[in-house]
């Protein structure tokens, strides 16, 4: 049974990622299909974008357009946690921004670990430790790991500041700790890894639809994935759920608006 791991670093600008000493994330991207020119949605705000990632719908269709508790999710929106669970797969989420708990209605998460660490410079590593331990012990079929420190650094110090770049290095270390832990446990090959961000940032914000905000890194690594830059296909955050479904051998939900990124897969391979 094929498994998938979605890793998201909030507020990660691809131009700075490519130039920064984030050697592990950049090297990981080269092991699979990658683009540093994927696009987010408007409004480019964390909770609406995450709902677009998980429901494969634009904010105007899934209904979440602000960062708030009690998000008004459309009845037509089916998130990836729900879809995976409906097909009998186990699910897990590890995160340090509490509003993300709304991504899954009650009953669809087997494991949910929240640590209030997004304001802690070492907060992403704490999430990485928790995720690594639980994934090795329980081996969920689908796992989502969210790192939020970088976005907080961008808001506080600027999305091109030294503090932002330092936070990116720490996010890189957190990703490395997680993935290398799966390798050490001998379970890395069970997982297709999809890495992305939700939005970039400029100045101290990410609400303006400019290039520095709307462009994100997106790459996928694993069995059956080509080692190539994705050039022919424009990649959007709403393409994540259909692509993850393909990796896990799940059907595409008929209401999802995104596409599966076929260019990422080796021709003729089955999930």
């Amino acid at each position: 049974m094929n498994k998938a791991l979605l890793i998201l670093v909030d507020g990660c600008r691809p131009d700075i990622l490519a130039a920064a000493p984030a050697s592990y994330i950049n090297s990981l991207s080269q092991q699979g299909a990658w683009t540093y020119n994927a696009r987010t949605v408007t409004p480019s705000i964390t909770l609406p974008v995450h709902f677009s990632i998980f429901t494969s719908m634009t904010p105007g269709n899934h209904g979440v357009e602000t960062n708030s508790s009690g998000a008004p999710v459309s009845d037509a929106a089916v998130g990836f946690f729900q879809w995976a669970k409906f097909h009998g797969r186990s699910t897990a989420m590890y995160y340090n921004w509490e509003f993300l708990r709304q991504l899954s209605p009650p009953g669809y998460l087997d494991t949910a670990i929240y640590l209030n660490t997004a304001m802690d410079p070492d907060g992403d590593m704490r999430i990485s430790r928790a995720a690594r331990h639980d994934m090795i012990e329980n081996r969920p079929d689908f796992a989502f790991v969210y790192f939020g420190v970088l976005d907080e650094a961008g808001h506080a110090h600027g999305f091109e500041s030294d503090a932002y770049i330092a936070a990116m290095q720490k996010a890189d270390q957190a990703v490395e700790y997680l993935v290398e832990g799966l390798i050490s446990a001998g379970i890395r090959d069970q997982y297709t890894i999809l890495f992305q961000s939700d939005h970039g940032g400029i100045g101290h914000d990410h609400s303006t639809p400019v290039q520095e905000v709307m462009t994100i890194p997106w790459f996928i690594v694993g069995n059956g994935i080509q080692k190539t830059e994705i050039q022919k296909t424009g990649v959007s955050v709403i393409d994540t759920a259909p692509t993850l479904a393909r990796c896990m051998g799940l059907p595409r939900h008929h209401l999802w608006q995104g596409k599966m990124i076929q260019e990422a897969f080796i021709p003729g391979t089955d999930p």
Side-chain angles (χ1 to χ4, degrees):
M1 183 180 291
N2 298 318
K3 301 174 184 284
L5 166 61
L6 173 60
I7 301 173
L8 189 143
V9 175
D10 196 332
C12 183
R13 271 181 50 170
D15 58 331
I16 297 180
L17 175 65
S23 57
Y24 193 84
I25 293 174
N26 287 320
S27 65
L28 190 63
S29 72
Q30 301 303 302
Q31 298 174 31
W34 58 276
T35 176
Y36 282 15
N37 197 37
R39 303 290 288 179
T40 191
V41 292
T42 303
S44 51
I45 304 171
T46 296
L47 194 61
V49 176
H50 275 75
F51 269 95
S52 288
I53 291 168
F54 276 80
T55 68
S56 189
M57 287 181 166
T58 61
N61 285 277
H62 60 61
V64 181
E65 298 189 347
T66 62
N67 289 335
S68 64
S69 59
V73 188
S74 167
D75 291 339
V78 176
F80 197 79
F81 287 121
Q82 296 160 272
W83 195 234
K85 198 65 179 172
F86 178 79
H87 289 278
R89 306 300 180 88
S90 58
T91 58
M93 178 164 72
Y94 318 93
Y95 59 113
N96 55 7
W97 190 57
E98 193 170 13
F99 283 8
L100 293 182
R101 182 60 184 84
Q102 300 172 86
L103 290 173
S104 173
Y108 294 98
L109 275 172
D110 294 290
T111 300
I113 297 178
Y114 164 71
L115 301 175
N116 186 18
T117 63
M119 301 297 291
D120 177 354
D122 295 315
D124 287 344
M125 183 57 76
R126 291 179 61 189
I127 288 292
S128 185
R129 291 192 190 104
R132 171 170 157 164
H133 174 79
D134 186 76
M135 288 188 68
I136 291 172
E137 181 175 353
N138 294 311
R139 306 187 183 190
D141 297 319
F142 172 65
F144 171 49
V145 182
Y146 167 89
F147 298 124
V149 174
L150 181 63
D151 186 58
E152 296 292 349
H155 284 295
H157 304 285
F159 281 85
E160 298 176 82
S161 65
D162 290 342
Y164 178 79
I165 294 171
M168 188 173 288
Q169 289 180 269
K170 286 184 176 290
D172 187 69
Q173 292 165 6
V175 172
E176 179 177 10
Y177 183 83
L178 174 61
V179 176
E180 290 299 312
L182 302 184
I183 293 171
S184 298
I187 62 172
R188 162 66 187 88
D189 287 344
Q190 297 178 20
Y191 287 91
T192 300
I193 298 175
L194 197 158
F195 173 93
Q196 68 174 97
S197 189
D198 51 348
H199 55 71
I202 190 168
H204 291 258
D205 200 16
H206 47 79
S207 59
T208 306
V210 296
Q211 181 77 5
E212 293 85 353
V213 170
M214 300 300 293
T215 308
I216 60 164
W218 191 99
F219 65 80
I220 185 168
V221 178
N223 296 327
I225 302 297
Q226 300 201 72
K227 294 182 180 180
T228 184
E229 181 179 3
I230 300 170
Q231 296 179 312
K232 298 178 183 178
T233 307
V235 178
S236 166
V237 294
I238 66 171
D239 300 329
T240 293
T243 304
L244 287 171
R246 165 66 170 78
C247 295
M248 294 179 65
L250 304 178
R252 179 187 183 279
H253 192 275
H254 69 283
L255 292 177
W256 287 351
Q257 296 175 317
K259 61 187 178 299
M260 184 265 290
I261 303 300
Q262 183 65 51
E263 189 179 348
F265 295 88
I266 297 172
T269 58
D270 294 322

